Amino acid sequence: MASLSLQHIDKIYDNNVQAVFDFNMEIKDGEFIVLVGPSGCGKSTTLRMVAGLEDISAGKLFIDGKDCTRLPAKDRDIAMVFQNYALYGHMTIYENMAFSLMLAKEDKYVIHEKVMAAAEILGLTAQLNKKPNQLSGGQRQRVAMGRAIVRNPKVFLFDEPLSNLDAKLRGSTRREIKLLHKRLGTTMIYVTHDQTEALTLADRICCMSMGHVQQIGTPLELYDHPKNLFVASFIGLPPMNLFNLEVKDGKYYVEGIEADLPDRIVKGIKDSGKDKFVLGIRPEDIKLGGDFVIDVTLNENTGHFTLTHGKLFGKTSCAKFRHWQNFEIGEKVNVSFDEEKIHLFDADTTDALI
């Protein structure tokens, strides 16, 4: 296990394209960190710099207090699990898991003990004599994890390991990774664009966009208290509803429609001294009954809740109601907002104001 310190790290490629800007993060021993963001945001590049597969253009990387900025990948005691499994097709599962230990010339009895222990943890004991092409995608991903476990590394790195799996396998393998972390207690850094994986796996999330860190915090901190519009709109499914808000002659207009606002929102507006904002409300914080109206355009029943899409303040929006709701297309549904869950953002800086 190990702690990591990433200090002012930049990545600039030879063509002068900068992929990561001033990345700073302290990772505690045994912590599960998830780097999340859209494609091209710099999360995989950051992971590869930690692994030593990409050079660090500027800044410092410390692992357990040791400067590893220029240390070769093979000397960092880090194991990486890739998206495409990277298994040897001509080898058995046992041989795949044992391969790195064989290269290190470990005693064959030690190798056997480690492979069998990892296979037991991952439920692969019955598969050890098979070849990778005889296994399902989920089993192959477990083999890739087993190959990392036998090395007993200081840090596990996961680069979008579930992307090639179907929805059901993603869910089960995600749970296996969570249980694996609890069992091993090893520091893990996990890259994904899937916010469900980020919210369910992470001790802390680092949300990135266009090479910049947008916010670092617990899943609940990012969900309930996003620092800016990007985090607010990226974290949460369905995404947060966002409405333009303008102050004119002491009155408040949401998408051009005059509206009464809660005291905490009014205070945030007055304290800012500005007149243009963005109002945010998550679909699950819209309640049935109230003074606002949704013109229903689509109803999605999922069993335990209903996603109701429609026009709210004239803008396409989504409400998430508990239980089964049978709204008709064109029906007008009266709603209200959970006033403590309304978010206010500066329209110019996109920063959260309350």
Side-chain angles (χ1 to χ4, degrees):
M1 294 190 292
S3 60
L4 291 89
S5 178
L6 291 82
Q7 301 178 6
H8 303 289
I9 287 180
D10 291 343
K11 177 60 183 179
I12 305 171
Y13 289 103
D14 292 339
N15 59 2
N16 289 324
V17 172
Q18 187 158 355
V20 178
F21 299 78
D22 196 29
F23 188 103
N24 291 278
M25 191 173 190
E26 301 295 323
I27 300 174
K28 300 173 187 174
D29 188 6
E31 208 172 8
F32 198 126
I33 298 296
V34 176
L35 307 182
V36 68
S39 298
C41 72
K43 56 189 185 294
S44 289
T45 301
T46 301
L47 193 78
R48 291 173 63 82
M49 286 191 286
V50 172
L53 302 178
E54 294 273 6
D55 292 333
I56 295 173
S57 303
K60 295 285 186 180
L61 169 67
F62 293 89
I63 301 176
D64 268 346
K66 178 182 178 181
D67 188 348
C68 297
T69 310
R70 304 296 171 213
L71 194 68
K74 63 183 178 63
D75 298 325
R76 296 190 185 193
D77 197 11
I78 284 174
M80 193 161 179
V81 178
F82 296 93
Q83 177 180 342
N84 61 358
Y85 321 134
L87 302 179
Y88 296 107
H90 65 287
M91 293 183 180
T92 65
I93 302 310
Y94 183 100
E95 291 166 338
N96 266 281
M97 291 173 66
F99 187 66
S100 63
L101 302 179
M102 294 166 61
L103 286 180
K105 301 189 184 323
E106 285 261 20
D107 183 89
K108 66 179 180 179
Y109 296 106
V110 173
I111 292 174
H112 184 73
E113 284 184 2
K114 289 184 176 181
V115 170
M116 295 308 294
E120 177 68 25
I121 290 171
L122 295 167
L124 291 170
T125 305
Q127 317 298 333
L128 291 176
N129 291 323
K130 296 181 179 180
K131 299 287 182 67
N133 63 5
Q134 296 175 278
L135 303 186
S136 69
Q139 289 173 321
R140 278 180 277 177
Q141 193 55 273
R142 276 187 274 158
V143 175
M145 288 190 284
R147 188 173 52 190
I149 290 171
V150 297
R151 292 177 49 196
N152 192 28
K154 287 183 177 180
V155 183
F156 280 96
L157 305 180
F158 294 87
D159 190 7
E160 305 220 35
L162 309 185
S163 294
N164 288 338
L165 305 182
D166 62 38
K168 185 176 180 180
L169 275 176
R170 277 202 303 272
S172 60
T173 309
R174 184 179 71 235
R175 290 188 288 274
E176 288 172 3
I177 292 172
K178 185 73 171 179
L179 291 170
L180 181 65
H181 178 251
K182 289 186 178 296
R183 184 164 183 171
L184 300 178
T186 309
T187 307
M188 294 185 177
I189 307 176
Y190 186 106
V191 160
T192 183
H193 63 274
D194 187 321
Q195 57 175 287
T196 300
E197 291 175 26
L199 291 168
T200 55
L201 287 172
D203 293 324
R204 285 190 298 151
I205 294 172
C206 174
C207 186
M208 298 182 69
S209 174
M210 299 181 69
H212 295 271
V213 173
Q214 300 296 314
Q215 186 173 355
I216 297 173
T218 66
L220 199 57
E221 284 171 345
L222 269 69
Y223 193 82
D224 282 345
H225 305 289
K227 288 182 66 175
N228 56 42
L229 273 174
F230 176 81
V231 179
S233 58
F234 189 81
I235 300 294
L237 194 67
M240 183 182 290
N241 298 299
L242 301 172
F243 305 98
N244 293 310
L245 167 63
E246 193 169 4
V247 183
K248 292 181 181 178
D249 301 323
K251 295 181 179 180
Y252 307 107
Y253 295 88
V254 180
E255 297 294 337
I257 300 171
E258 187 177 353
D260 292 326
L261 300 177
D263 291 342
R264 60 187 285 273
I265 299 297
V266 171
K267 184 179 185 303
I269 290 171
K270 291 180 177 178
D271 289 347
S272 74
K274 295 191 174 184
D275 57 11
K276 290 186 179 181
F277 308 89
V278 175
L279 208 62
I281 184 75
R282 292 202 180 278
E284 59 270 30
D285 296 324
I286 299 176
K287 311 299 179 185
L288 285 172
D291 297 329
F292 305 114
V293 175
I294 292 180
D295 293 318
V296 178
T297 57
L298 178 66
N299 216 40
E300 293 182 286
N301 296 111
T302 63
H304 60 293
F305 62 82
T306 298
L307 297 178
T308 298
H309 304 268
K311 297 289 185 179
L312 180 60
F313 298 113
K315 186 173 182 179
T316 300
S317 307
C318 178
K320 185 177 181 179
F321 300 121
R322 292 193 65 183
H323 309 304
W324 194 281
Q325 305 292 340
N326 290 312
F327 302 127
E328 297 292 335
I329 294 175
E331 185 174 348
K332 297 184 184 302
V333 178
N334 285 82
V335 297
S336 60
F337 303 152
D338 184 336
E339 294 186 355
E340 293 302 313
K341 299 291 182 69
I342 300 175
H343 300 264
L344 183 68
F345 303 93
D346 187 310
D348 296 322
T349 66
T350 77
D351 291 335
L353 294 174
I354 56 174

